[in-house]
């Protein structure tokens, strides 16, 4: 027991924890939203940063090109670019610094801030060709980054330095990046909250349905109401579950009633059998006539008990779906029933058919129902004042066939017509006749299983008409 207990505890620890559908939905929704938001944020920031950098580079390149064109077209000296000279020729865009170098590379007009002068810049000041350019990237001036281009004036007259600050642009892009990240985080959090609210709204009815199923499993009470509404899949599931519980409850009730009724009906023949068996102990003391009567009584009770058990089995199996449905002709089935009934009863049986008598059904069940009707007619019309008639007519509507069995027996009282299809019900004037009261109940079950219904009414001139209709499709039913 110690090893078994340790094994159970080990398995319990290894058992995976259940994750609710709501949690899965929230996590999935948040993950998808986060992935989409991050992707869009990265693409948006990259596009915006690229556009800003390209624009700044384009502005700087255009200023440098304007200076080159100017110095190539005109002989210009450093004083022409002085910021203090009224009407100077160079337009200074925003975040653009201009510094003028003399013939020896010295600063004639410093920029704001002052730009560093390298040997390459001094070489441009001494250059003989106007418009030559040397560029410097990532020049650090007073903790700010600049890009610098030095343009020669030609003939050793000096040079002009044009610088553009781009550290401010990078600061702006970093700010944009931070705000993009904050916005992305806010969107993910909002998506998670919205996903939680949506999942709670969607799964609330599933939780109710699960609770109902757990209550059924715990209490075994099938009459629990499932309060699920809606026109979506969850609503359909709830209604289907409610119908399933109703069918199971009805099936359970039918089984309980069948067992109770069967027990009640079996008591009488079993009691009689026990009584007669007790007499068998004294059979030597009984006169011959009494012995014959006792044996005949035992034989009759054994037959009745066998018939009752067989009909109970047929009634319980009649609701099963093991027999596959197929296209059948009820006229052909009626012919087989007529031939079998003639051999069993020796009665004259007449079959009338008209119209299309084909439908979808289970031939074994239909044959059993017809046989029960014919046997019932032969049993109650014992004098045989007229032939037993079978009418198979179709269709009253597409796929519907009507089966009637007519006899000239004593008939049925009006008060009994509505109850003759109940299980074990037998009219007062029929209780002395052999039978269990299950034959017509089987007819009702077969008819309802085939989308039809049984019927019975008194026949003019004496006798009764009992039958059933089939059609409307095979009805899947549970156990009896």
């Amino acid at each position: 027991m110690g090893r078994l207990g340790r094994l159970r505890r080990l398995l319990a620890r290894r058992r995976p924890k259940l994750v609710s559908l709501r949690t899965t939905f929230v996590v999935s929704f948040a993950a998808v939203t986060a992935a989409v938001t991050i992707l869009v944020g990265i693409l948006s920031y990259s596009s915006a940063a690229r556009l800003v950098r390209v624009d700044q580079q384009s502005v700087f390149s255009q200023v440098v090109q304007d200076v080159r064109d100017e110095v190539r077209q005109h002989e210009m000296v450093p004083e022409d670019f002085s910021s203090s000279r009224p009407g100077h020729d160079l337009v200074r865009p925003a975040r653009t610094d201009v510094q003028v170098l003399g013939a020896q590379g010295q600063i004639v007009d410093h920029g704001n801030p002052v730009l560093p002068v390298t040997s390459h810049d001094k070489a441009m000041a001494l250059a003989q060709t106007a418009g030559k350019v040397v560029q410097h990237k990532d020049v650090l001036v007073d903790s700010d980054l600049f890009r610098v281009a030095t343009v020669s004036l030609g003939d050793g007259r000096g040079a002009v330095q044009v610088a553009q600050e781009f550290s401010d642009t990078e600061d702006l892009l970093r700010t944009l990046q931070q705000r993009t990240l904050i916005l992305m985080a806010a969107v993910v959090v909002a998506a998670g909250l919205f996903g939680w609210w949506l999942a709670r709204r969607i799964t609330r009815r599933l939780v109710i349905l699960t609770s109902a199923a757990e209550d059924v499993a715990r209490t075994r009470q099938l009459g629990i109401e499932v309060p699920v509404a809606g026109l979506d899949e969850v609503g359909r599931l709830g209604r289907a579950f409610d119908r399933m519980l109703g069918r199971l409850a009805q099936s359970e009730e039918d089984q309980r009633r069948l067992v109770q009724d069967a027990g009640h009906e079996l008591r009488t023949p079993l009691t009689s059998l026990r009584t007669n068996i007790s007499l068998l102990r004294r059979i030597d003391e009984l006169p011959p006539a009494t012995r014959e009567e006792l044996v005949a009584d035992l034989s009759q009770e054994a037959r009745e008990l066998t018939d009752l058990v067989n009909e109970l089995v047929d009634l319980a199996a009649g609701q099963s779906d093991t027999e596959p449905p197929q296209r059948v002709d009820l006229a052909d089935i009626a012919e087989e029933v007529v031939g079998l009934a003639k051999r069993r009863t020796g009665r004259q049986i007449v079959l009338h058919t008209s119209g299309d008598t084909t439908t979808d059904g289970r031939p074994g069940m239909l044959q059993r129902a017809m046989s029960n009707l014919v046997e019932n007619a032969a049993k109650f019309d014992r004098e045989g004042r007229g032939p037993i008639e079978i009418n198979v007519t179709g269709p009253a509507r597409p796929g519907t066939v009507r089966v009637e069995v007519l006899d000239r027996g004593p008939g049925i009282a009006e008060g009994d017509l509505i109850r003759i299809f109940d299980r074990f019900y037998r009219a007062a004037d029929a209780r002395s006749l052999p039978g269990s009261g299950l034959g017509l109940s089987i007819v009702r079950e077969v008819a309802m299983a085939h989308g039809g219904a049984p019927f019975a009414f008194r026949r003019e001139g004496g006798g009764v008409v009992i039958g059933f209709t089939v059609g409307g499709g095979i009805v899947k039913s549970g156990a009896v």
Side-chain angles (χ1 to χ4, degrees):
M1 292 299 294
R3 291 183 178 179
L4 183 59
R6 287 194 297 272
L7 180 59
R8 288 178 177 174
R9 288 193 296 271
L10 180 61
L11 292 176
R13 286 197 298 269
R14 291 185 177 181
R15 186 177 300 168
K17 294 183 179 180
L18 297 178
V19 179
S20 67
L21 179 62
R22 182 181 301 175
T23 302
T24 303
F25 185 86
V26 172
V27 172
S28 301
F29 190 85
V32 172
T33 304
V36 173
T37 302
I38 291 173
L39 180 62
V40 172
I42 291 175
L43 293 177
S44 300
Y45 171 78
S46 300
S47 299
R50 182 173 178 274
L51 288 175
V52 170
R53 291 187 178 111
V54 168
D55 181 67
Q56 292 296 320
Q57 179 64 40
S58 176
V59 171
F60 181 72
S61 299
Q62 186 61 46
V63 171
V64 173
Q65 187 61 40
D66 290 343
V67 173
R68 295 181 66 189
D69 293 340
E70 188 72 19
V71 299
R72 285 174 179 174
Q73 295 173 6
H74 308 285
E75 290 187 4
M76 305 188 72
V77 296
E79 287 76 10
D80 294 330
F81 294 95
S82 176
S83 60
S84 60
R85 178 180 175 182
H88 60 83
D89 298 300
L90 186 62
V91 177
R92 293 169 170 81
R95 293 194 301 279
T96 301
D97 190 14
V98 177
Q99 183 168 277
V100 183
L101 303 180
Q104 301 300 321
Q106 75 280 12
I107 299 176
V108 176
D109 187 5
H110 63 82
N112 186 22
V114 178
L115 302 176
V117 179
T118 65
S119 58
H120 297 288
D121 300 325
K122 293 180 180 180
M124 288 296 102
L126 296 173
Q128 298 298 311
T129 303
K132 291 183 68 176
V133 179
V134 62
Q135 293 196 21
H136 309 284
K137 295 182 179 179
D138 300 337
V139 178
L140 185 62
V141 181
D142 295 340
S143 72
D144 292 325
L145 288 177
F146 286 79
R147 57 171 63 92
V148 181
T150 303
V151 182
S152 64
L153 299 179
D155 296 332
R157 293 190 296 270
V160 177
Q161 288 183 299
V162 180
Q164 183 186 54
E165 182 184 356
F166 63 87
S167 59
D168 289 347
T169 302
E170 295 302 321
D171 292 340
L172 176 64
L173 292 177
R174 279 193 294 272
T175 302
L176 177 62
Q177 185 182 46
Q178 293 173 356
R179 293 184 178 180
T180 301
L181 292 175
I182 294 174
L183 180 61
M184 287 165 49
V187 170
V188 171
V189 172
L193 294 176
F194 177 75
W196 176 83
W197 174 82
L198 185 62
R200 185 174 182 272
R201 182 179 179 86
I202 292 175
T203 59
R204 179 174 54 193
R205 291 176 294 164
L206 288 176
V207 171
I208 295 175
L209 188 59
T210 303
S211 299
E214 291 174 346
D215 290 341
V216 171
R218 185 179 65 256
T219 64
R220 297 186 180 181
Q221 297 294 325
L222 299 177
I224 295 177
E225 183 180 358
V226 182
V228 177
L231 301 178
D232 55 3
E233 288 80 359
V234 179
R236 289 175 55 193
L237 177 62
R239 287 187 291 273
F241 186 72
D242 193 44
R243 288 194 297 269
M244 180 188 69
L245 289 180
R247 295 291 293 274
L248 289 175
Q250 182 62 41
S251 175
E252 185 181 45
E253 178 61 26
D254 289 342
Q255 287 181 352
R256 184 183 298 108
R257 185 159 53 90
L258 177 63
V259 171
Q260 291 174 350
D261 293 344
H264 178 269
E265 293 297 322
L266 286 171
R267 287 192 188 98
T268 300
L270 288 176
T271 301
S272 180
L273 279 174
R274 284 197 300 268
T275 302
N276 289 330
I277 289 173
S278 64
L279 291 176
L280 287 176
R281 301 179 184 276
R282 301 168 41 235
I283 192 169
D284 294 337
E285 304 173 7
L286 301 176
T290 305
R291 295 179 188 178
E292 293 294 333
E293 183 180 355
L294 177 61
V295 172
D297 195 16
L298 282 171
S299 178
Q300 177 66 26
E301 289 171 352
R303 283 196 300 270
E304 290 186 5
L305 186 60
T306 301
D307 292 340
L308 176 60
V309 172
N310 289 336
E311 288 186 337
L312 283 172
V313 173
D314 290 337
L315 183 61
Q319 289 290 335
S320 67
D321 297 336
T322 55
E323 185 181 15
Q326 55 184 304
R327 196 69 181 173
V328 296
D329 190 342
L330 266 68
D332 295 339
I333 296 177
E335 290 181 0
E336 297 177 4
V337 171
V338 168
L340 181 62
K342 284 181 178 180
R343 292 191 296 270
R344 286 180 176 176
T345 63
R347 294 288 301 277
Q348 180 184 2
I349 302 175
V350 180
L351 173 63
H352 304 283
T353 62
S354 63
D356 182 11
T357 58
T358 60
T359 186
D360 293 326
R362 295 185 168 90
M365 296 174 64
L366 294 171
Q367 184 177 9
R368 177 63 173 166
M370 287 189 193
S371 297
N372 285 357
L373 291 178
V374 175
E375 291 173 2
N376 184 78
K379 179 174 65 175
F380 286 96
D381 187 10
R382 306 185 72 176
E383 297 180 2
R385 290 177 293 179
I388 298 175
E389 301 179 29
I390 302 179
N391 295 334
V392 182
T393 309
R397 61 178 186 273
T400 303
V401 184
R402 181 183 178 94
V403 178
E404 298 177 341
V405 175
L406 302 82
D407 63 59
R408 287 297 182 183
I412 301 176
E414 287 290 341
D416 293 329
L417 283 175
I418 61 174
R419 299 190 59 188
I420 61 173
F421 295 102
D422 293 343
R423 292 173 183 169
F424 302 107
Y425 179 77
R426 304 178 70 186
D429 54 357
R431 291 172 184 169
S432 61
L433 298 176
S436 62
L438 288 175
L440 295 183
S441 178
I442 294 175
V443 173
R444 181 191 64 183
E445 301 293 342
V446 172
M448 296 180 65
H450 287 78
F455 59 85
F457 55 88
R458 304 180 69 174
R459 186 181 182 189
E460 293 184 5
V464 69
V465 179
I466 305 178
F468 61 91
T469 59
V470 295
I474 304 297
V475 177
K476 291 184 178 181
S477 57
V480 175

